[in-house]
């Protein structure tokens, strides 16, 4: 077995940071507080999850979604402490599962750490959901692109004004857990320089970004990965092709243990809770659900095949408590099937292991996610609202870029003046990405 001791360097911050007098909180609890009290986190209450904010009082926002992800993430960590979650990995390594549990259990994130990651995972997403993301990416095509996860990293490490220029100054391990895609965005995206933006023929599919970190934030990314050996860093940042030419995308292959738990919690919340939203407001009815129901009955999960008819009855019951009972049963099914996974031959234990669902359980979750995508996200009403948000942000970006010293807020103008010529558009993008849906609409109306 490889050594599984954690290097204390993962507790370091960009800047020396002594706790205040009589502050005895552990490092990850301090990280959690900084995220929880940040302006970027509060702004999630007014940012679209799937449905436009204010469209219906029941719909989840980015904030309530993040709170639910944190609850699921904490439950996944608790489950991963149990000895049975080590069985598949123990069989692979030919070691007793109890011995393996004793060996690597200490790697699990604390409750403070996993909640920090779940609270922070969406704070970089712009107004108007993924429509806003594609709009800003189109505006930044010649300046490194835009992507929500990359903006999250930028907020945490540079923009949020807890420090002059190190953002929230979080611990290395917290930042490692937030990085879903350890690569540079302009290397994973299509060659946007071969395209040119034309407002009259804007198509969101043409401007869907790849995944990664902004090149502007490469120095902080290098600092984050300093504890890794050269071999681990090369492997961790390696890429694979996921789309054929002419719109080739490259995707990262690995993420940290903490990130894998957070991402799994995010997927469960998206597949189950956003599905619940759609039922309550009538976007999905029982007739439409029959399509997914047949797919679920064809899955190899014995629990799902046995229980899906009873769950369906409860999901579409006139009694809200029965639907909540079914939603809770589904979430519990996914959480209680989590297990440990060996990723690759990393020397760093935080990279060597991930959390995963068995194939037959992952297939069930994918049915829910695909159903939500096809019949909720791609619903024509949802897409029309998303398109409106795209138009608002593209027009507003062009207006700001035409006369930034006149139209941007004073503190943003000061940053814009200090930026080098190739970084000035990023300053405008930072300002717009931090807007809530309502504030973006208000500013747009002022300008137009």
């Amino acid at each position: 077995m490889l050594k599984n001791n954690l290097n204390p360097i993962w507790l370091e911050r960009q800047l020396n940071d002594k706790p205040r007098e009589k502050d005895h909180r552990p490092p990850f609890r301090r990280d959690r507080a900084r995220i929880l009290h940040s302006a970027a986190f509060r702004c999630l209450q007014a940012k679209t999850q799937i449905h436009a904010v204010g469209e219906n009082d029941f719909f989840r926002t980015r904030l309530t979604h993040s709170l639910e992800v944190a609850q699921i993430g904490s439950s996944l960590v608790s489950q991963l402490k149990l000895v049975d979650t080590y069985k598949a990995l123990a069989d692979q390594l030919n070691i007793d599962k109890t011995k393996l549990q004793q060996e690597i259990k200490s790697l699990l994130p604390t409750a403070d750490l996993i909640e920090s990651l779940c609270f922070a995972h969406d704070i970089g997403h712009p107004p108007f959901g993924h429509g806003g993301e594609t709009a800003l990416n189109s505006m930044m095509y010649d300046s490194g692109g835009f992507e929500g996860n990359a903006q999250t990293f930028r907020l945490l490490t540079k923009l949020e004004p807890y420090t002059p220029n190190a953002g929230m100054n979080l611990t290395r391990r917290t930042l490692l857990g937030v990085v879903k895609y350890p690569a540079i965005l302009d290397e994973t995206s299509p060659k946007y320089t071969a395209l040119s933006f034309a407002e009259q023929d804007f198509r969101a599919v043409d401007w869907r970004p790849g995944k990664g970190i902004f090149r502007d934030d490469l120095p902080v990314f290098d600092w984050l990965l300093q504890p890794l050996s050269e071999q681990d860093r090369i492997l961790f940042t390696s890429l694979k092709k996921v789309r054929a030419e002419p719109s080739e995308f490259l995707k990262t292959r690995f993420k940290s243990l903490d990130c894998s738990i957070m991402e799994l919690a995010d997927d469960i919340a998206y597949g189950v809770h956003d599905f619940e939203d759609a039922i309550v407001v009538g976007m999905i009815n029982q007739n439409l659900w029959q399509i997914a129901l047949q797919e679920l009955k064809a899955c190899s999960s014995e629990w799902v095949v046995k229980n899906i008819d009873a769950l369906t009855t409860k999901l579409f019951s006139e009694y809200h408590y029965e639907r909540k009972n079914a939603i809770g049963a589904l979430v519990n099914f996914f959480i209680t099937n989590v297990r440990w996974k060996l990723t690759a031959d990393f020397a760093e234990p935080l990279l060597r292991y991930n959390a995963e669902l068995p194939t037959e359980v992952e297939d069930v979750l994918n049915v829910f996610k695909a159903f939500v995508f096809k019949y909720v996200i791609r619903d024509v009403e949802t897409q029309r609202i998303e398109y409106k948000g795209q138009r608002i942000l593209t027009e507003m970006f062009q207006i700001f870029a035409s006369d930034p010293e006149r139209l941007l807020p004073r503190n943003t103008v000061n940053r814009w003046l200090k930026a080098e010529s190739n970084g000035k558009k990023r300053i405008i993008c930072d300002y717009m990405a931090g807007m809530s849906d309502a504030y973006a609409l208000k500013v747009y109306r002022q300008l137009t």
Side-chain angles (χ1 to χ4, degrees), residues 420-440:
E420 297 181 5
S421 57
N422 61 355
K424 290 186 180 297
K425 287 180 70 175
R426 180 66 64 194
I427 305 303
I428 299 174
C429 188
D430 287 340
Y431 170 60
M432 293 182 61
M435 294 179 173
S436 67
D437 294 27
Y439 183 68

Side-chain angles (χ1 to χ4, degrees), residues 51-62:
H51 308 280
V53 174
E55 194 178 334
N56 187 294
D57 288 343
F58 185 84
F59 285 146
R60 288 162 167 87
T61 66
R62 287 276 180 191

Side-chain angles (χ1 to χ4, degrees), residues 119-321:
F119 288 159
H121 84 282
D122 265 355
I123 64 172
H125 281 261
F128 308 119
H130 290 293
E133 187 176 50
T134 55
L136 291 179
N137 189 47
S138 70
M139 294 291 95
M140 294 293 293
Y141 78 96
D142 59 351
S143 300
F146 178 85
E147 194 268 330
N149 295 288
Q151 190 69 15
T152 291
F153 184 77
R154 185 169 171 82
L155 268 166
L156 297 177
T157 61
K158 185 175 293 184
L159 299 181
E160 188 67 24
Y162 189 91
T163 62
N165 52 25
M168 298 187 197
N169 197 31
L170 304 178
T171 59
R172 257 200 186 94
R173 182 168 177 179
T174 298
L175 293 176
L176 182 71
V178 169
V179 175
K180 291 184 181 181
Y181 311 103
I184 303 304
L185 180 61
D186 58 32
E187 295 177 355
T188 63
S189 295
K191 302 298 183 183
Y192 288 124
T193 51
L195 302 173
S196 60
F197 176 79
E199 184 179 352
Q200 66 273 16
D201 59 1
F202 179 90
R203 295 173 70 245
V205 68
D206 294 332
W207 294 102
R208 195 169 294 148
K211 304 291 185 180
I213 302 295
F214 298 137
R215 187 168 294 278
D216 294 348
D217 301 318
L218 182 57
V220 186
F221 187 53
D222 287 338
W223 171 84
L224 172 63
L225 301 186
Q226 276 180 13
L228 302 183
S229 67
E230 183 178 2
Q231 182 179 351
D232 272 10
R233 176 165 180 163
I234 292 172
L235 183 59
F236 186 52
T237 58
S238 60
L239 303 171
K240 61 182 178 181
K241 187 182 294 187
V242 293
R243 185 176 296 183
E245 294 286 1
S247 298
E248 180 177 273
F249 275 72
L250 298 175
K251 190 173 182 180
T252 54
R253 301 167 58 206
F254 301 105
K255 54 182 63 69
S256 70
L257 169 64
D258 305 333
C259 185
S260 72
I261 299 171
M262 175 267 284
E263 191 167 42
L264 182 54
D266 189 22
D267 283 348
I268 293 171
Y270 164 67
V272 180
H273 290 306
D274 290 338
F275 169 68
E276 179 188 11
D277 276 1
I279 293 175
V280 171
V281 300
M283 290 186 71
I284 294 175
N285 56 41
Q286 197 159 354
N287 289 333
L288 189 60
W289 174 241
Q290 297 304 309
I291 300 169
L293 183 60
Q294 298 311 310
E295 294 182 34
L296 290 170
K297 288 183 175 180
C299 287
S300 55
S301 168
E302 293 182 6
W303 185 88
V304 169
V305 172
K306 178 182 177 181
N307 291 283
I308 193 59
D309 283 331
L311 288 171
T312 295
T313 300
K314 290 183 177 181
L315 285 170
F316 294 94
S317 169
E318 62 179 303
Y319 301 109
H320 187 69
Y321 72 87

